[in-house]
Amino acid sequence: VGLEGSMPCEIGHLLSLESLIFKYDDIGGVIPHEIGNLSNLIHLEFLDIGLTGNIPASLGNLPKLETMTIRLNRKLSGTIPIELNQLESMVNIDMRANDLHGPLEVMGGWTNLKALSLTQNWFNETIPANVGNMKSLVEIDIGSNVIGGTLPSELGLLTNLEILNLERNDLHGPIPDTFKNLSKLIVLALGTNQLDSSIPGPDVFEGMERLGKFM
């Protein structure tokens, strides 16, 4: 039997809690801002539970948080609060398939992050230059949004990247020469954008010896 009813604000009293996980239940309602009191929380997962409202800024008060999955909540809207850039312990963020939008400058604070997935939302601004701060990243998936602007050259600083998915956005311009530094890249997905139609010069690909899929 699945759980029903919204999360109570009293959940913020569970100060020793390390994992908070709700999956595939008809919980609904908003994320209580009191969750920001759970200073020992390491894992947070809200998967397909019918959340509404916005992501509370108080989640930026979780210094030990390593994984955050807030996925498949189609009525969860608003932006990613800039306060979340304080989550320096974060290694995995999965916010796929919500109704989020707005700027992505928050990414620059996640310097230890290894995997970031924001696909199937409505992010509609540019990829910020501070993406170059995220040097631990192995995977970026921000496809299927409406991100505009050009590809920042700072993406070439992410030399641990193995998967880069930016397809199905509104990006334009050339593929930066700095992409030649992405020597660990296995998957590069840039299709269904407005990028320059010409194939990048061989100097861009010369360092991508492991690239197995380019689309």
Side-chain angles (χ1 to χ4, degrees), residues 133-186:
N133 298 339
M134 306 168 70
K135 293 183 174 62
S136 297
L137 270 175
V138 175
E139 177 178 353
I140 301 179
D141 181 1
I142 52 176
S144 299
N145 282 282
V146 283
I147 297 169
T150 59
L151 294 171
S153 61
E154 289 82 2
L155 283 169
L157 299 174
L158 308 181
T159 55
N160 287 303
L161 267 186
E162 296 180 1
I163 298 173
L164 176 57
N165 179 14
L166 304 174
E167 67 180 358
R168 299 182 185 277
N169 278 291
D170 196 25
L171 295 162
H172 62 268
I175 296 177
D177 290 342
T178 55
F179 272 40
K180 66 186 178 184
N181 300 323
L182 304 178
S183 60
K184 297 182 180 180
L185 206 60
I186 298 172

Side-chain angles (χ1 to χ4, degrees), residues 95 98 100-101 104 117-125 141-148 165-170 192-193:
M95 294 186 181
N98 296 298
L100 302 173
H101 64 271
L104 294 170
S117 182
L118 303 175
T119 190
Q120 297 181 45
N121 280 284
W122 295 98
F123 292 107
N124 56 350
E125 297 197 18
D141 181 1
I142 52 176
S144 299
N145 282 282
V146 283
I147 297 169
N165 179 14
L166 304 174
E167 67 180 358
R168 299 182 185 277
N169 278 291
D170 196 25
T192 319
N193 279 288

Side-chain angles (χ1 to χ4, degrees), residues 7-15 17 20 22 32 34-35 38:
M7 281 182 274
C9 60
E10 288 81 7
I11 203 167
H13 297 160
L14 304 175
L15 300 181
L17 202 65
L20 179 60
F22 292 108
E34 289 85 358
I35 289 177
L38 306 179

Side-chain angles (χ1 to χ4, degrees), residues 91-126:
V91 295
N92 190 314
I93 293 178
D94 183 353
M95 294 186 181
R96 284 177 280 172
N98 296 298
D99 192 31
L100 302 173
H101 64 271
L104 294 170
E105 277 76 9
V106 63
M107 298 194 305
W110 299 329
T111 54
N112 293 306
L113 199 68
K114 295 185 182 297
L116 174 65
S117 182
L118 303 175
T119 190
Q120 297 181 45
N121 280 284
W122 295 98
F123 292 107
N124 56 350
E125 297 197 18
T126 60

Side-chain angles (χ1 to χ4, degrees), residues 20-49:
L20 179 60
I21 299 173
F22 292 108
K23 295 182 179 182
Y24 308 115
D25 288 312
D26 190 19
I27 291 175
V30 301
I31 301 173
H33 70 85
E34 289 85 358
I35 289 177
N37 297 333
L38 306 179
S39 57
N40 287 300
L41 200 64
I42 298 173
H43 306 291
L44 174 67
E45 183 170 1
F46 299 148
L47 174 56
D48 193 10
I49 60 173

